[in-house]
Structure formats: structure tokens, C-alpha cells
Amino acid sequence: MIHRAARIEDWLHDKREKFARRRGHLPVVIPYTGYGTPERVRVLCRVLLAKPVKVGGRTKRRVAAREAGIRGWRSFTSVPVNDVTVTIEIGGTAHRVQADRGGVVDTVMQVNLEPGWHTARLHTEASASVEAPVFVVAPDVRRGIISDVDDTVMVTTLPRPMLAAWNTFVLDEHARVPTPGMAVLLDRLADATPGSPVIYLSTGAWNVAPTLSRFLSRNLYPAGALLLTDWGPTHDRLFRSGREHKHDNLRRLAQEFPEMKWILIGDDGQHDEAIYSDFQQEFPDSVAAVAIRRLSPSEAVLAGRRPKDAADTKRDSLWVYGPDGASLAEQLADLGLIVDPGLPGSVDPA
């Protein structure tokens, strides 16, 4: 039985879709970064209805400027196209797949590709073709990076509901603040193992994926796949479980890359510690290190708990704690995970 809230949401989506189509809106494929191996790749995108853009430099510039300065709430007013067929072409292989009830496509394709960056082309029968970057991991790469987003790479004050709502729905994306030192940390970790995959795993909604991608690029974070979720009711519950979303994707990554050791990066403001600890217990050979950003005392108090001491929370020698990227980098260098002459104790992992 489908949950009543899901039936109501489907009814609203149907009404909004019909209204948008009467106004001349057309399907548009929003591509997301994918990843995979030389034999199979995971391709992600979302299909929405949008006003057609006229061909012309001035109009396109106006649209680009509007999107770059978009307020967060506008991302949640988009109209998804339910159950539309999307054609995906990559490496000479074509695949047709149905988007889910939220317009999201998350599929795996069998391919034969060389390691490195590739481009998938995606379109529906009524939409223009768009390109989605896909990173293929070489078989000999043994280290990857998985990072949380909220309060890890971007200061969103998510534990504080009112400010979190302001940052998510109202604040201009250019006013969002990167966490000090985290871009440099992730870049050094990626440089330490050439070809390592970078995955940004968050409980955020797919609605904010374009905004988040621009934020990461603008603040010089390494390119990588976004694994977000679709807010709202499911077939069997009123709200999706963010913890379950992270658990499922961590487990999936461990199974897709059984030889990979992951550096897990998060913060102590929500459930990252518990989620990463569970993952480490289930897949002990898949964890190279766990780096947790500690919230400041004021952030911790406003989050409804007392500040933690790293000595009280550290699980084992693979866990490091620090208030920012620089502090975490020094400790990860001591573990041999960063090669940087400027960091004391840094050694070559080879």
C-alpha cells in the first residue's frame, strides 16, 4: 500500500505538471556527475519542466545570471516529470530508463571505458540533449574520498533549524560560506592518490544539486559525484530517512569498489560519527581513516548539546578530530594519507 502522503504528493505533482505544460513549459534534463569502473558506470540526472530558453546571447546571459543568483526556495518550486523515459548514451552504448516519481534517474550501465573523465549524453523525446560528466576509476586505485556536505565543506549551521531553513531556502548561494581549510584538505587528499574518486554524500535534496555543484567549483573543491536524496514521502513512510540514505550509499560504494579504502569526512553536528562507525564495523577493510570536523562550542550549544572532547569520542587510531581542514590535514599527514612538504610528519603512502 502506498502511504497516503505519497498519494497526495503524486496528486499535487500531476496538477502542477498539467498547469506547467499549459503554460508552455517543456521537459529539461538536469545532469549530475556520475562515477564507475571500466565495466559499469552509475549515471544520475533529474527531469523537470522549465520555460524554454530562446536562442540568443542576451537571453542566455540573463538566464545564467538569474540561475547564479537564485534563492534557495526557488529550487524547491521546480516541477518534476514523473515516469518519463530518458535515453543515456556513453561509450557507444545507449540505455533507456524510466525516471522515478520525483523525476530522478539513478541507473547503472554496462560499458567498456578507459579510466578518467567521460561524458554521457542524456535526453528525453521532448528535451534537448545534455552532457553529464562521469568519472571512471582505474582498477589499481586503492583509495577514495567520501565527504559530507552540510557543516563539513559548507557552513550551513544545520543543527539549528531556523538558521538551517534560512540558509537553505532564502540565502543567495554566493553568501554561503565554505568551511575553513576543507577545500585544501580534500584537494591534498585527492592529489595524494592520483585518480582517486571523490564522492559528496549528503542528506540534502536533489533540488539543490546545481547550486551545490556551483558552490563546490567556485570554492575550488575537487570535482566529484553528488549523492543526494529526494525529500518528501515514500511509498511506506511520511519522510525519507537521511541516515538510511547514507548507510545505503556507503554500503553500495563498499560493494562496488571492494578493494578501495575510503577516507570518510564529516562533522559531529548530526549523525556522521555513528554512521561512519557502523560502516567501519561492517566493512573494516574499506576504511583508511575517519576525519570529523568538531563544531565550535557556540555551534554545539545551539545544537542542544555540550561541546565534545576529541579524546572522549575517538574510536581508534584511524579517527581524527579537528575544528577545520588545516587541523585535520596535519593529523591525516601523520597517518601517511597526505603528501605535502609543508605539513610536518607527511610521508609518501607508497
Side-chain angles (χ1 to χ4, degrees):
M1 294 293 293
I2 300 178
H3 196 282
R4 179 180 298 177
R7 294 200 299 270
I8 294 173
E9 183 185 50
D10 289 342
W11 178 82
L12 288 173
H13 280 173
D14 182 63
K15 293 296 183 183
R16 295 180 64 214
E17 181 177 343
K18 290 179 179 178
F19 177 73
R21 287 185 183 277
R22 285 198 299 268
R23 297 182 61 193
H25 291 206
L26 299 174
V28 173
V29 179
I30 309 299
Y32 305 133
T33 302
Y35 68 88
T37 67
E39 293 79 28
R40 60 184 182 275
V41 293
R42 185 179 182 182
V43 181
L44 306 107
C45 69
R46 193 170 187 230
V47 186
L48 305 173
L49 288 177
K51 289 183 179 180
V53 178
K54 297 180 181 179
V55 178
R58 187 174 181 182
T59 302
K60 287 187 176 181
R61 286 195 298 270
R62 189 181 298 119
V63 172
R66 183 185 63 197
E67 289 180 348
I70 194 170
R71 301 286 174 174
W73 66 269
R74 292 186 180 274
S75 300
F76 291 84
T77 62
S78 55
V79 181
V81 182
N82 297 330
D83 301 324
V84 66
T85 299
V86 178
T87 300
I88 304 171
E89 300 174 1
I90 184 172
T93 302
H95 186 60
R96 290 166 62 86
V97 62
Q98 292 290 115
D100 66 15
R101 49 190 293 272
V104 176
V105 169
D106 182 353
T107 189
V108 173
M109 293 181 61
Q110 300 299 318
V111 294
N112 183 15
L113 297 172
E114 294 295 322
W117 285 100
H118 295 265
T119 299
R121 300 193 65 85
L122 307 92
H123 66 89
T124 69
E125 290 185 357
S127 74
S129 180
V130 297
E131 297 182 346
V134 178
F135 185 69
V136 175
V137 183
D140 58 346
V141 174
R142 293 292 183 267
R143 187 173 297 151
I145 304 162
I146 299 174
S147 176
D148 177 47
V149 173
D150 298 315
D151 282 326
T152 300
V153 303
M154 177 170 61
V155 179
T156 58
T157 57
L158 198 59
R160 292 169 279 181
M162 296 303 294
L163 287 179
W166 176 269
N167 285 330
T168 300
F169 296 106
V170 181
L171 200 65
D172 184 289
E173 70 176 68
H174 288 87
R176 298 175 188 269
V177 180
T179 305
M182 294 302 293
V184 176
L185 170 63
L186 266 68
D187 191 56
R188 286 172 172 169
L189 288 171
D191 286 345
T193 305
S196 60
V198 179
I199 308 291
Y200 296 98
L201 176 59
S202 171
T203 57
W206 283 115
N207 306 63
V208 301
T211 299
L212 180 56
S213 296
R214 290 192 295 268
F215 172 87
L216 294 172
S217 176
R218 188 167 59 248
N219 290 282
L220 304 181
Y221 282 95
L226 295 175
L227 298 182
L228 307 180
T229 187
D230 192 12
W231 283 5
T234 65
H235 283 119
D236 58 354
R237 64 174 64 184
L238 182 59
F239 294 107
R240 286 170 172 80
S241 169
R243 295 185 65 168
E244 184 177 320
H245 164 71
K246 284 193 171 184
H247 276 298
D248 290 346
N249 276 282
L250 286 170
R251 189 177 296 110
R252 177 172 179 169
L253 287 166
Q255 294 168 349
E256 290 174 332
F257 300 96
E259 304 299 323
M260 188 81 68
K261 284 185 174 291
W262 296 96
I263 301 171
L264 308 174
I265 304 173
D267 63 87
D268 65 356
Q270 290 186 298
H271 308 294
D272 289 343
E273 292 173 289
I275 293 170
Y276 291 163
S277 179
D278 292 343
F279 177 73
Q280 185 182 26
Q281 292 179 24
E282 186 175 359
F283 299 96
D285 295 333
S286 296
V287 177
V290 181
I292 299 295
R293 182 219 166 200
R294 293 201 307 271
L295 298 185
S296 67
S298 61
E299 289 175 321
V301 170
L302 290 172
R305 58 168 176 75
R306 67 178 180 83
K308 295 181 180 179
D309 184 354
D312 297 332
T313 56
K314 191 170 183 177
R315 267 66 173 180
D316 57 42
S317 60
L318 297 182
W319 286 66
V320 299
Y321 286 77
D324 51 37
S327 174
L328 294 173
E330 291 181 2
Q331 297 174 73
L332 290 173
D334 291 338
L335 295 177
L337 299 177
I338 293 179
V339 181
D340 191 331
L343 289 176
S346 176
V347 297
D348 189 338

